[in-house]
Amino acid sequence: MVAVDMVMLLSGGTVATLLTRLYYNSGGNSKWMTTLTQSGGAPLLAIPLLLTPPSPEDRRLPSPATKLAAVYAGIGALIGLDNLMYAYALQYLPVSTFSLVASSQLAFNAVTSRLLNAQRFTPLIANSVVVLTFAATVLAVGSSSDGSSSGNYHYNYAAGFVLTVAASAAFALILSLYELTFERVVMAQTPRWVLRVQMNSNLVASAVAVAGMFASGEWRTVPGEMAAFTGGTARYVATLAGTAVAWQAALVGQIRLVARVSSLFANATGVVQLPLVPLFAVVLFGDRMTGIKVVAMLMSAWGFMSYAYQHYLDGRRAAGTAQAQCSMCAAQAVSDTVSDAS
Ligand SMILES: Nc1nc2[nH]cnc2c(=O)[nH]1
């Protein structure tokens, strides 16, 4: 199941980022629209929620409704802010530089999961954080001159850098807060609770995006943008709808990984996506393939396998402990039966 979540996160996130780039490349320019696509697919989560049979843990309300509502509102507002910064960052920086700076979210997550989630650091996990960060760095340094995403766009490096760092810190905090929510507020990690928490927090984030679109007056530019979009209105709608669906698929995978494993693991999987995006851009947008990109991908696979191996070791240790406890219980039960009978 963890493998399924990882595939959803990597494929959904890659498709969403490529579609966002297609939106900007085809004449799209609305930052609030890009912000909205990151959370706007949330109502679709009602479908898997209705189709997933409830377990006993799903029927109880683990905390007062007001506390749950406050958690959704807090995390949702933070997601809305992160999505806006992410939207600006994706437009202000070339993909390669963006990848470099965005990989810092794993380092931020190392801090937030230590402070908020009591994450244990082993040599394999430390190796994974360092290698994954380097993989994105290599990619960024190596492909900064390949013109991957330039077009005729004027980058805004200073603002792009600050916004990417801020978004990376915010995203690390969001994942750690999700983990804390499952442990302390919801006190369950069932598929339905994961969907509920994701849907409600993303609905709040969508409200932030819609409010921003109206407050900024950007909504007035949408009809013109739609008419001028390369390929016309139908392609405009399909691009944005596809982006919204892909983001939610990625987030289902990512938040399930937070619930099942940890926020740091979910973030490490997400960071593997950074070198994947340029690879697909080679096929889809005709970007150049370079040796550096291959090295970055191999490093990213290595960093990730290091983390996955630690996860495997932890799983084996947990199974061993459970088995030892079972044998002790069984021995105790036999001895109780014998002493009762005598
Ligand atoms: N900052 C940030 N925001 C996101 N929203 C969805 N994925 C991400 C991510 O990896 N980083």
Side-chain angles (χ1 to χ4, degrees), residues 34-306:
T34 314
T35 304
L36 184 58
T37 57
Q38 291 179 68
S39 57
L44 293 176
L45 297 173
I47 300 169
L49 196 53
L50 287 173
L51 296 178
T52 310
S55 65
E57 281 168 302
D58 292 317
R59 287 186 229 276
R60 64 183 176 83
L61 200 59
S63 296
T66 45
K67 186 168 176 186
L68 275 173
V71 167
Y72 295 145
I75 298 185
L78 198 55
I79 295 174
L81 179 68
D82 169 59
N83 288 348
L84 178 67
M85 293 191 290
Y86 205 70
Y88 270 101
L90 265 174
Q91 208 190 16
Y92 279 175
L93 291 179
V95 164
S96 50
T97 315
F98 172 76
S99 300
L100 162 70
V101 187
S103 67
S104 67
Q105 70 188 39
L106 199 53
F108 280 119
N109 219 143
V111 177
T112 56
S113 52
R114 182 98 197 104
L115 293 178
L116 296 176
N117 313 122
Q119 170 74 45
R120 198 167 55 91
F121 276 86
T122 64
L124 280 171
I125 290 183
N127 178 57
S128 165
V129 170
V130 172
V131 173
L132 283 171
T133 307
F134 266 109
T137 311
V138 163
L139 170 81
V141 172
S143 59
S144 56
S145 59
D146 75 357
S148 293
S149 65
S150 42
N152 52 11
Y153 184 73
H154 238 46
Y155 294 116
N156 185 342
Y157 281 92
F161 181 83
V162 171
L163 286 168
T164 312
V165 171
S168 299
F171 194 64
L173 182 61
I174 289 164
L175 291 187
S176 282
L177 287 175
Y178 269 136
E179 187 176 338
L180 203 61
T181 302
F182 290 121
E183 274 171 10
R184 302 267 179 86
V185 184
V186 168
M187 288 173 276
Q189 279 97 355
T190 62
R192 279 178 68 98
W193 268 114
V194 170
L195 287 168
R196 265 186 214 160
V197 170
Q198 181 184 342
M199 188 171 85
N200 290 319
S201 52
N202 275 266
L203 285 175
V204 174
S206 302
V208 170
V210 171
M213 191 171 304
F214 280 99
S216 66
E218 226 180 62
W219 63 276
R220 287 195 204 93
T221 65
V222 173
E225 183 175 287
M226 206 185 269
F229 198 73
T230 313
T233 306
R235 193 160 170 272
Y236 180 85
V237 174
T239 305
L240 292 180
T243 313
V245 172
W247 271 128
Q248 289 308 308
L251 286 173
V252 167
Q254 194 155 35
I255 300 175
R256 272 206 307 227
L257 286 177
V258 170
R260 286 201 173 119
V261 189
S262 69
S263 59
L264 192 60
F265 184 81
N267 204 336
T269 309
V271 167
V272 171
Q273 190 191 297
L274 295 174
L276 275 184
V277 170
L279 173 74
F280 282 97
V282 168
V283 181
L284 298 174
F285 297 114
D287 286 6
R288 272 197 310 130
M289 188 62 191
T290 61
I292 290 286
K293 286 180 186 174
V294 176
V295 171
M297 265 178 311
L298 291 177
M299 281 179 76
S300 141
W302 171 31
F304 189 72
M305 274 176 341
S306 172

